[in-house]
Amino acid sequence: MTEARTLMADEGRTFCEELSIPLARGTPSPLFRWLTACILSASPIRHDQAARAARALADAGLTTARKMADATWETRRKILNENGYARFDERTASILGDAAQLIVDEYGGDLRRLREAAGHDPKDERARLKSVKGVGDTAVDIFFREVQAIWDELYPFADDLALEAAKRHRMGRDAKALAETVPRKSFPHLVVALARDELSHRHR
């Protein structure tokens, strides 16, 4: 418990909190903004650059699947180019547009409908998310880390990145073991803290 508290004190701010995404609302815009941030974060780019691009897209009003899909490719490219994505701006502009359009076409722009279509089954949710262009397992892992706070069927979820750090800190080898170390509401913060810790460890 002490180790968990130390980690959360140092690294426990969630990425949604960092990006001012009110994920707890569980409504279409925060869910889409979070998925967009996950797509950006899963790219081979530094976290601070991905966060900067995610903020810029939101500041430009591209906060829903419909708004992202309706924006021109050049609008998306320009925002990305000016906010840390110069090397990947053209490809990512296309990915975000295609991803948003699929979410609009398949789920009316509402990721809650994806959850319902999956019957609240984590495996089906992962498969459906991976059908969205630009969303692979890494992006889904990042998405699940924090959305488990409001999608109860995902709890407890910890991805391989977080579990590697947990093993180093001798906190457990799986999500269930980790979940026993903190209250339910604190678990997403712990998983994010572990993921941050592992990334920091790898980049030393």
Side-chain angles (χ1 to χ4, degrees):
M1 186 69 167
T2 301
E3 187 75 25
R5 284 176 177 166
T6 300
L7 277 167
M8 288 190 292
D10 293 340
E11 304 280 3
R13 188 184 187 198
T14 68
F15 293 110
C16 281
E17 289 169 347
E18 182 180 331
L19 293 170
S20 300
I21 298 174
L23 191 64
R25 293 179 185 173
T27 49
S29 178
L31 285 167
F32 178 74
R33 285 180 60 195
W34 177 227
L35 183 62
T36 298
C38 294
I39 292 171
L40 295 172
S41 295
S43 300
I45 196 167
R46 293 201 319 267
H47 164 69
D48 60 332
Q49 291 175 289
R52 178 182 167 190
R55 288 192 196 95
L57 289 165
D59 290 344
L62 307 187
T63 55
T64 67
R66 172 57 70 188
K67 290 176 180 177
M68 184 71 77
D70 286 349
T72 65
W73 176 86
E74 179 56 31
T75 295
R76 295 190 298 269
R77 188 208 64 78
K78 186 172 186 293
I79 293 168
L80 293 167
N81 180 270
E82 294 175 353
N83 290 278
Y85 257 75
R87 289 174 55 203
F88 307 101
D89 55 345
E90 295 185 2
R91 178 173 178 271
T92 306
S94 296
I95 286 172
L96 292 179
D98 291 344
Q101 191 62 58
L102 185 146
I103 293 168
V104 169
D105 292 343
E106 297 292 328
Y107 306 108
D110 187 349
L111 289 170
R112 295 175 302 182
R113 294 186 183 178
L114 179 149
R115 185 190 185 198
E116 292 301 320
H120 293 209
D121 177 71
K123 289 183 179 179
D124 197 354
E125 288 166 353
R126 179 177 289 273
R128 288 174 181 273
L129 284 167
K130 286 176 65 177
S131 74
V132 177
K133 187 170 183 179
V135 179
D137 280 315
T138 298
V140 175
D141 285 346
I142 299 169
F143 186 78
F144 277 8
R145 274 183 215 153
E146 299 194 27
V147 86
Q148 68 178 312
I150 56 172
W151 289 11
D152 291 339
E153 66 274 13
L154 297 175
Y155 173 80
F157 174 82
D159 62 314
D160 289 343
L161 196 66
L163 290 175
E164 284 300 314
K167 292 172 189 174
R168 278 194 294 102
H169 291 284
R170 299 181 180 178
M171 295 174 63
R173 303 183 66 85
D174 58 41
K176 288 185 178 179
L178 275 178
E180 294 175 359
T181 66
V182 293
R184 165 75 174 85
K185 66 180 181 180
S186 299
F187 188 70
H189 290 82
L190 175 60
V191 176
V192 170
L194 287 165
R196 287 184 188 271
D197 182 75
E198 180 62 19
L199 286 171
S200 176
H201 179 76
R202 292 181 182 184
H203 293 156
R204 286 174 188 167

